[in-house]
Amino acid sequence: MAHKHETPSVEESYDFSPELKRKLVIGGVIGVALVAIGVFLINMGWWGPDGFAGGAHEAHGAVDAHGAAEAAHGAGEHAAEGHHEATLMNRIVGNLWMNSIYFLGLSVIGVFFISYNYVAKAGWYTSFKRVPEALPAFLIVPAAVILILFAIPGSRHIIMHWTHEGIMDPLSNNYDAIIAGKSWWLNVPFYVFRLVSYFVVWWYLWKQIRKYSLLEDVSGSLEDYNKSRLYAKFFLIFFAVTSSTAAWDLSMAVDAHWFSTMFGWYHLSSWHVSGLAAIMLIIITLKDQGYLKGVNDSAIQDLGKLIFGFSIFWTYVWFSQFFLIFYAHLPEETIYFRERLHGYEGRYLAPFYISLVLNFVFPLLILMARGSKRNYTFLKLACWAILIGHWFDFYQMLMPAIAKNQGGIGLIEVGITTVFACSFIYVIYSQLSKANMYAKNHPFLEESLHHDI
């Protein structure tokens, strides 16, 4: 028997208070200060893992671990040239790159979420549609950081080993036959073209979907809904390809010797479940503040189901990739996990297992029961675990190849992540304040307000 529902007002505006803006700006400043203090302490040798003092120690552990990699790949010559020596700058650049990719995922998943719901003609999510619709507004920030980091030769060489001079030239001492075999894909002009294409097309399609969604509020025309749906189809078609190629370019290319056919799915599942957790946390926070009364527990439960399901899916892909490589026991493949489990004096071992526990064990135990997906305390706990867990997932995915023996979890990591998080919240809340909180003329809004499972 269906429950009775009161129909809430669909006229609602979000007030992005000056006090909250001030707190977020202060949070960003504190983040910058933490980075500065962290760099100072490490440079002075007062705090940090062995080898951090001065930020210029040779990467003994890295050379050992990576030397094994080079032996496996038959590319030891250029290692002797010193290209693998890591400094404190590797750690800073690595954190900027890693956080950019992580927050880029949170942003783009907003348009991915509304696109597949548009195409499926789903109605259940319409009451909180403005939340995922706001997330891509931040996309431009990590995109700009990524392009700037790649444009600067010093940081580009730190992140992408394949960009070093002569690495694809058979006459050079830096020649690497394996990387040279990938030159048709890994070359700077084509790489930049792909990055710009991803960011511009993702941004453009989101802007079109958003534009017609807002026009729908004014006109009430079904034509605007259909145009949003049309652009959602274009986005899904483009994202079906670029979600994988972007994963290769942004994350897998930092380990240029390594390749996994499952990496695109693994990367997308990590982005997706993180984005869903961010959407849920924003909704619950807004409801706690008295907004979004029309988002009922059935819609919350359905979103909780997606979070639970895609946490399991991420685990499935993670395990499949790991197990296949473990079972095949190919040197050029196993080195990826060897570096994370045993390389660089074992400093990436903890992030590797923390990621697995937070992204699989926590959601499995917390979200399995029906009631827990309607309990805001459990949902907050699970969503924070997922957001932190997937931060660790991207950390262990990227930092061993970039920061090498300079990696660690300290003030630099906390500071840079705080800056990104405060910027992300500022942009999203600012975007939410620019439109009605409900897509009030959406044809499925009524269905969503009375959604009952």
Side-chain angles (χ1 to χ4, degrees):
M1 181 178 177
H3 301 125
K4 290 183 178 178
H5 298 281
E6 293 181 2
T7 302
S9 170
V10 294
E11 293 287 349
E12 191 174 295
S13 298
Y14 176 69
D15 177 24
F16 189 18
S17 67
E19 183 184 356
L20 180 56
K21 291 179 183 176
R22 188 167 57 252
K23 287 180 179 176
L24 291 170
V25 171
I26 292 172
V29 172
I30 291 173
V32 173
L34 288 175
V35 175
I37 294 170
V39 170
F40 175 76
L41 293 176
I42 291 171
N43 269 323
M44 295 300 291
W46 293 344
W47 186 42
D50 293 338
F52 270 40
H57 281 277
E58 297 298 324
H60 299 300
V63 171
D64 291 343
H66 222 76
E70 301 304 331
H73 302 309
E77 289 185 3
H78 59 272
E81 298 296 320
H83 291 156
H84 295 277
E85 294 173 2
T87 68
L88 181 59
M89 187 56 70
N90 287 60
R91 181 170 175 175
I92 296 171
V93 169
N95 271 284
L96 289 170
W97 185 264
M98 188 271 291
N99 277 285
S100 296
I101 294 172
Y102 177 72
F103 282 93
L104 178 72
L106 295 186
S107 305
V108 78
I109 288 305
V111 66
F112 180 51
F113 177 83
I114 56 176
S115 292
Y116 63 67
N117 278 293
Y118 260 123
V119 173
K121 290 189 175 180
W124 68 277
Y125 79 105
T126 311
S127 58
F128 63 83
K129 175 175 173 287
R130 284 287 147 81
V131 174
E133 198 175 277
L135 296 189
F138 188 69
L139 190 153
I140 198 167
V141 176
V145 175
I146 288 169
L147 290 174
I148 290 170
L149 286 174
F150 193 79
I152 300 171
S155 56
R156 178 170 71 234
H157 294 333
I158 287 174
I159 299 164
M160 300 292 178
H161 175 67
W162 55 268
T163 62
H164 282 282
E165 293 293 329
I167 203 162
M168 299 183 188
D169 180 1
L171 302 178
S172 170
N173 289 332
N174 294 334
Y175 178 64
D176 186 313
I178 292 177
I179 293 178
K182 300 180 180 182
S183 60
W184 65 276
W185 182 264
L186 295 179
N187 61 80
V188 172
F190 189 31
Y191 185 83
V192 172
F193 171 77
R194 290 197 302 274
L195 290 190
V196 173
S197 299
Y198 303 150
F199 303 149
V200 169
V201 176
W202 291 348
W203 177 265
Y204 171 75
L205 292 175
W206 166 69
K207 290 292 283 185
Q208 295 305 308
I209 294 170
R210 172 77 167 170
K211 180 177 82 173
Y212 288 109
S213 175
L214 298 183
L215 285 174
E216 187 183 79
D217 282 1
V218 179
S219 68
S221 169
L222 197 60
E223 186 179 343
D224 291 323
Y225 165 79
N226 288 330
K227 285 182 178 175
S228 288
R229 190 162 179 265
L230 177 65
Y231 281 105
K233 292 176 185 174
F234 291 150
F235 178 83
L236 282 188
I237 293 170
F238 186 71
F239 197 62
V241 177
T242 55
S243 61
S244 283
T245 54
W248 303 343
D249 287 334
L250 295 171
S251 297
M252 198 164 71
V254 301
D255 284 286
H257 287 117
W258 186 72
F259 181 78
S260 166
T261 54
M262 303 189 71
F263 194 81
W265 286 106
Y266 167 54
H267 202 272
L268 175 61
S269 63
S270 193
W271 267 0
H272 191 207
V273 74
S274 306
L276 293 175
I279 292 168
M280 177 69 90
L281 270 181
I282 295 171
I283 293 170
I284 293 175
T285 303
L286 290 172
K287 286 181 76 66
D288 287 344
Q289 295 171 356
Y291 296 101
L292 294 178
K293 289 186 174 67
V295 180
N296 60 38
D297 286 348
S298 293
I300 294 290
Q301 184 186 344
D302 274 349
L303 186 57
K305 288 178 190 172
L306 280 179
I307 294 172
F308 177 77
F310 279 98
S311 292
I312 304 303
F313 177 73
W314 173 86
T315 311
Y316 164 73
V317 180
W318 182 95
F319 178 73
S320 299
Q321 181 176 261
F322 177 83
F323 189 69
L324 281 174
I325 292 171
F326 170 80
Y327 189 75
H329 198 51
L330 301 174
E332 63 269 30
E333 300 292 344
T334 54
I335 186 62
Y336 179 83
F337 290 107
R338 184 179 168 187
E339 283 187 347
R340 283 147 185 80
L341 293 170
H342 308 297
Y344 309 112
E345 301 170 343
R347 69 185 59 212
Y348 297 104
L349 182 64
F352 186 83
Y353 284 114
I354 289 173
S355 163
L356 189 59
V357 170
L358 292 179
N359 295 326
F360 172 57
V361 179
F362 258 68
L364 179 71
L365 296 179
I366 296 174
L367 293 180
M368 182 177 286
R370 178 182 186 274
S372 62
K373 290 189 277 290
R374 289 171 173 252
N375 183 307
Y376 291 179
T377 302
F378 283 156
L379 285 170
K380 286 178 187 175
L381 188 61
C383 290
W384 276 116
I386 288 168
L387 285 173
I388 296 170
H390 282 283
W391 185 92
F392 275 102
D393 188 25
F394 278 96
Y395 180 89
Q396 64 85 32
M397 203 185 299
L398 293 161
M399 294 299 277
I402 301 173
K404 301 181 175 63
N405 75 321
Q406 295 292 310
I409 305 293
L411 294 179
I412 294 174
E413 284 69 28
V414 174
I416 291 177
T417 304
T418 301
V419 172
F420 271 90
C422 289
S423 306
F424 177 76
I425 296 169
Y426 193 103
V427 171
I428 301 311
Y429 278 18
S430 176
Q431 195 70 17
L432 284 171
S433 68
K434 294 177 181 176
N436 195 57
M437 292 290 279
Y438 295 98
K440 56 187 179 183
N441 289 322
H442 191 286
F444 295 136
L445 179 60
E446 192 69 18
E447 175 186 326
S448 182
L449 294 174
H450 299 283
H451 183 51
D452 192 0
I453 56 173

